[in-house]
Amino acid sequence: MATVSIIGTGNMGQAIADVVTKGGHDAELIAHAEADKPVTGEIVVLAVPYPAVADVLAARGDSLDGKIVVDITNPLDFQTFDSLTVPADSSATAQIAAALPRSRVLKAFNTTFAATLAAGTVGDLTTTVLIAGDDADAKSELAGVVTSGGLRAVDAGSLDRARELESLGFLQLTLAVNEKVSWTGGFGIAA
Amino acid sequence: MATVSIIGTGNMGQAIADVVTKGGHDAELIAHAEADKPVTGEIVVLAVPYPAVADVLAARGDSLDGKIVVDITNPLDFQTFDSLTVPADSSATAQIAAALPRSRVLKAFNTTFAATLAAGTVGDLTTTVLIAGDDADAKSELAGVVTSGGLRAVDAGSLDRARELESLGFLQLTLAVNEKVSWTGGFGIAA
């Protein structure tokens, strides 16, 4: 059984906690403001908006050493909905990985809306969590938690692919905001 | 009824021609090598690999004036499958639009495999063609052809969004090449 610490208690944090507990694992939900509360999980999910990540890392940096750190952010310019706020040849995940050289940083959950994590489906397709990262064991451990929670997990490749996952998350958010898809739909993946 | 000229007779060109004719429109399939054959369609689909596009534009540039030109390319480095070959802050479509200032350039069809265009479904979801571009009338005309052919068309936004569509096409191709999805599956979209 894994313990998954989730920093951020918004709709994504809560949806991920539900997937974790559905699979028989322990979820530890920690509010962003509870900066003094230690994380006990071997997997730590950063479920805060991207602009708040630096704060979390500043408060908790060393305590994340050796842990699997999961970045779920979509670093959008939410004023314009017309661009990402990270450099075009980088990603939020790459920046987090650079800030946490002793953690095993993964990208995941940024391409699934909270509602499709909760429902377990996108249309008739099982909700798929795309996971990118350079540590195969870490990806496999997170995939185990995801699949035991009733979802599909797909290894999307190296940490470099976080950039494409962020593009996909961005695209999906623009489609939802422009009412081309609903917040209960979006991109599904057929095997 | 629209006439759609498709330059490139590979599996994508043929699949797009089938969608066009299924919808009661005329499809004109032209091989890349038939550089002297004029295009008669008001919509022209560039269904050649990205490295061959420059050639097509050099041969046909002026004859594309005023036409809707549809870029379906995924400008991947097919040696490494690890990056796109266009600058990170640009897109193949942006480059084509710059080369064809008197055409109405759209991105479309790059996020659907030929098999899902032919089947009309991705899993149980109707195959969706994402269309990006700056000319609303051109997008609407192409969307009409797509929907009359039995598929869904979704306006993915301005020409800038071609970058995200190319990221999505890239991601999907890497998933297929790594056998995470099949060439008959991939990304579907639930409304």
Side-chain angles (χ1 to χ4, degrees), chain A residues 92-131:
Chain A
T93 317
Q95 300 193 333
I96 292 168
L100 297 176
R102 289 173 301 282
S103 301
R104 305 148 81 193
V105 177
L106 304 178
K107 185 92 197 178
F109 296 110
N110 76 301
T111 65
T112 48
F113 290 144
T116 63
L117 290 176
T121 50
V122 180
D124 290 321
L125 299 169
T126 301
T127 300
T128 298
V129 176
L130 293 166
I131 306 174

Side-chain angles (χ1 to χ4, degrees), chain B residues 69-154:
Chain B
V69 173
V70 183
D71 165 35
I72 75 160
T73 64
N74 280 307
L76 256 73
D77 182 332
F78 285 100
Q79 299 298 310
T80 64
F81 271 93
D82 197 41
S83 67
L84 293 170
T85 60
V86 290
D89 59 353
S90 184
S91 67
T93 318
Q95 300 193 333
I96 292 168
L100 296 176
R102 288 173 301 282
S103 301
R104 306 149 80 194
V105 177
L106 305 178
K107 184 92 197 179
F109 295 110
N110 76 302
T111 65
T112 47
F113 289 143
T116 64
L117 288 177
T121 51
V122 180
D124 290 322
L125 299 169
T126 301
T127 300
T128 299
V129 175
L130 293 165
I131 306 173
D134 287 337
D135 185 316
D137 291 338
K139 286 195 279 192
S140 168
E141 195 168 331
L142 180 62
V145 171
V146 166
T147 53
S148 63
L151 309 182
R152 240 181 111 219
V154 165

Side-chain angles (χ1 to χ4, degrees), chain A residues 82 88-89 122-125 130 152 154-156 160-161 163-165 167-168 170-171 175 180-182 185-191, chain B residues 82 88-89 122-125 130 152 154-156 160-161 163-165 167-168 170-171 175 180-182 185-191:
Chain A
D82 197 40
D89 59 354
V122 180
D124 290 321
L125 299 169
L130 293 166
R152 240 182 111 219
V154 164
D155 181 349
D160 284 344
R161 289 294 79 70
R163 182 169 134 195
E164 282 71 40
L165 296 187
S167 289
L168 175 55
F170 169 29
L171 179 65
L175 293 176
K180 306 296 182 185
V181 304
S182 72
F187 288 99
I189 303 181
Chain B
D82 197 41
D89 59 353
V122 180
D124 290 322
L125 299 169
L130 293 165
R152 240 181 111 219
V154 165
D155 181 349
D160 285 345
R161 289 294 79 69
R163 181 169 135 195
E164 282 69 41
L165 296 187
S167 288
L168 176 54
F170 169 29
L171 180 64
L175 293 176
K180 306 296 182 185
V181 303
S182 72
F187 288 99
I189 302 181

